[in-house]
Amino acid sequence: MGRVTTTTRPAFATLNAVLERLTYVNEETGYTVARVATECGSDLLTVVGALLGAQPGETLRLHGRWSSHPKYGRQFEVDSYTTVLPATIQGIQRYLGSGLVKGIGPVFAERIVAHFGLDTLQVIEGAPARLVEVPGLGPKRTAKITAAWEEQKAIKEVMVFLQGVGVSTSLAVRIYKQYGDASVDVVSKEPYRLAADVWGIGFKTADTIARAVGIPHDSPQRVMAGLQYTLSEATDSGHCYLPKLALVADATKILDVPAELVARCLDELVADEGVIREVLPGVDGDPVEAVYLVPFHRAEQSLAAALLRLLGDRADRLAHFTDVAWDRAMSWLKARTGADLAPEQEQAVRLALISKVSVLTGGPGCGKSFTVRSIVELAVAKKAKVTLVAPTGRAAKRLSELTGHPAATVHRLLQLRPGGDACYDRDNPLDVDLLVVDEASMLDLVLANKLVKAVPPGAHLLFVGDVDQLPSVGAGEVLRDLLAAPAIPRTRLSQIFRQAAQSGVVSNAHRINVGRPPVLHGLPDFFLFACDDTEAAADLTVDVACTRIPAKFGLDPCRDVQVLAPMHRGPAGAAALNTLLQRQLTPHREGQPERRAGGRVFRVGDKVTQIRNNYDKGQTGVFNGTLGIITHLVPEEQTLTVRTDEDEDIDYDFDELDELAHAYAMTIHRSQGSEYPAVVIPLTTSAWMMLQRNLLYTAITRARQLVVLVGSRRALAAAVRTVGAGRRHTALTHRLTRHAEVISVNDDSRRLRNRDLGRVPAAAGTDD
């Protein structure tokens, strides 16, 4: 018999070290590769493992094991870590000079340590007023340093507890900012509150904490939180509700508890009005028990009621268009714009000016923009108050350029305030006669409800958008639901104009939209760089965006070229591509300031996007999807500044950087409503589940001048062939149809059902 060999795992060890630099950070998992300095020698050591949140300059007590990597040699595998205060002159100066304490940079760190020596940290801790002894440190900066030190000390005390229950440093900071001294108490007794109160903490993180503090697996508190989480996940996927059977099945799988317990807790949640249950026609028309989170149920009911109220209102702020001489009006318009309207465009113009609510839809090159301009010209000629809005800053800017009239984002128009409440609503409506909403496919249920509630009685509301694009990132399919409701008048433009038809971007978008493959040869503005290997396709995407397009077309790789990926993750996903693109466009430069936050590092010149609504920033808030460029980064003040695409400078503290993501590459979903001179689209088989026709169509229609596809012909064929996901669970069409059917039949409602666009479509109203 041969000898049995056993492998002994290395003994547990503790390593004290100063974090010098982060070599690699995976923002999804927290896995980190870093280089650290110890007192044992001058050479830097490699440490790997869970270091997410640690910053260069910090002294760390690392807990883990020594190992030997076949390629990289000896390294320390970290299981956990704590931060400790440095004890040497060099360590103290490095710590203070790294930007970890707000108000102190390298220059002041050197002066402070030169003055106080090894007593520096004790002075800041116990006698901070003495800092004024240091040349150049006045009372104002001393007060700032003292406040920053106290906050950091309080956060670190909370962190000791939170790290013990599995909370990362960055989340611990957010928890402390939310609850202050009550943080430990809330985390211990009500951990599921975190998912509702603290941005960035979902049910899974709260559940991990709950388990660590001893909340039972089958606790009703846990199950009800899990049900609300399941519904929240569904709204993130676009659904306004879930059928009860699907909700119970999904929650049972997530919670790993019996379905009977989930159903029982759902009944309790309904009784407590934590969710709303209502019988509705489902996607296939059969009745289902629909379960909503309360805000989405209220928004859907309110939006339907507000639209019907507008349609049925007897007041009309554009009444003079009911008996206008249309032939003369169109002649005047031609003299004004220099072009004739096609019959369906003329039809859309008349409809928008006669109907209180209407929809204009159509693909690229079909004249939506010119039609909107014509509507606006006629309304303004009659001294109407016209307001133009779009969901994003870029879309609003483009709408303004196309019409020659000012346009705003929906958020700015409504002046949304902290908490999401709007300055303008039903009780304080906008002063507008005609409101035009462009890129309406982007409108989610909640935002659409806020907007429509602010439209005054008698005003006209026109939704404009391409219904074949991806639906909104948020819950609902507002544009599609409006087009499916008989009560809402609409025009669909289908004629592609000659000039647009000569564009490969436009012609291929229409080909893809009907399931035909794009033309890939002989076009000056549409190309495919074939590449089957996913990682090679990622490298080629970067080369095309950073080198080939700028060289051939003279476009700026940061300002004019946008990489749009089907997915966020994966070798050719937006996250990986952002790392590669940043390496090319804003590489690390010795002596230039930068700041690492989680798995990202931010530098001056970086293209970034806001990833959550923050109503406290800027003049009237900064919103999910806002793009900008980092213009300043000041480590000693722990701030950076972003110049947004709405020409506003927004300051971010370093502990707010989880609100920003790089935007050299972004997912196609996040690009909705924007338009770029050139678009580069990586299509690889690694994104197989996301390869759908409306996804590719949306990406292509983001380009003004140029589209370059990079990747697999097989992936392209799959995207063209695959019709896409099924309908979302929404009931807006049902609510519009049901209420329209029960209102009294009068002359206005009869005209509503009449499709003669020369007459006045309208409907009687309904109350909330």
Side-chain angles (χ1 to χ4, degrees), residues 122-369:
Q122 285 78 8
V123 169
I124 297 175
E125 171 76 32
R130 288 190 58 198
L131 288 171
V132 295
E133 298 173 15
V134 178
L137 272 184
K140 188 175 180 181
R141 186 177 289 272
T142 298
K144 182 184 289 187
I145 293 170
T146 304
W149 184 267
E150 285 300 313
E151 182 182 43
Q152 191 178 78
K153 187 174 70 171
I155 290 172
K156 285 185 184 296
E157 289 171 359
V158 173
M159 276 182 197
V160 173
F161 171 77
L162 294 175
Q163 285 182 341
V165 294
V167 179
S168 72
T169 306
S170 57
L171 292 184
V173 171
R174 257 182 263 158
I175 291 170
Y176 180 80
K177 284 187 175 293
Q178 178 71 29
Y179 303 117
D181 293 338
S183 298
V184 173
D185 199 48
V186 171
V187 171
S188 301
K189 296 175 182 175
E190 303 175 89
Y192 292 106
R193 269 183 65 186
L194 301 176
D197 295 349
V198 182
W199 182 77
I201 295 184
F203 172 79
K204 290 181 180 177
T205 301
D207 201 34
T208 300
I209 296 168
R211 186 163 55 249
V213 299
I215 290 179
H217 186 71
D218 60 354
S219 159
Q221 177 190 357
R222 176 177 183 266
V223 176
M224 285 191 277
L227 280 162
Q228 290 181 311
Y229 164 73
T230 306
L231 283 171
S232 179
E233 286 286 284
T235 62
D236 287 345
S237 298
H239 300 295
C240 297
Y241 69 84
L242 277 182
K244 176 187 172 182
L245 294 178
L247 171 60
V248 171
D250 290 350
T252 298
K253 192 180 299 180
I254 290 167
L255 295 165
D256 190 27
V257 295
E260 296 77 16
L261 174 61
V262 174
R264 198 161 58 246
C265 287
L266 175 58
D267 290 338
E268 191 175 333
L269 201 55
V270 171
D272 292 343
E273 297 184 349
V275 296
I276 304 292
R277 189 162 57 194
E278 180 183 2
V279 177
L280 295 169
V283 172
D284 57 4
D286 294 332
V288 297
E289 281 190 82
V291 184
Y292 286 81
L293 289 172
V294 174
F296 295 93
H297 187 262
R298 288 178 178 163
E300 196 172 73
Q301 284 192 318
S302 174
L303 175 57
L307 286 167
L308 290 167
R309 189 164 50 243
L310 283 173
L311 276 167
D313 202 293
R314 293 189 178 277
D316 189 348
R317 288 180 170 228
L318 298 180
H320 36 258
F321 283 105
T322 57
D323 55 3
V324 74
W326 285 105
D327 289 344
R328 289 175 57 193
M330 292 304 162
S331 296
W332 176 89
L333 190 61
K334 180 181 178 181
R336 180 83 173 170
T337 63
D340 278 317
L341 289 169
E344 57 187 15
Q345 289 179 303
E346 182 177 334
Q347 190 170 284
V349 169
R350 295 171 67 179
L351 185 63
L353 296 171
I354 290 173
S355 297
K356 308 281 181 48
V357 180
S358 60
V359 178
L360 171 62
T361 189
C366 292
K368 291 195 304 295
S369 298

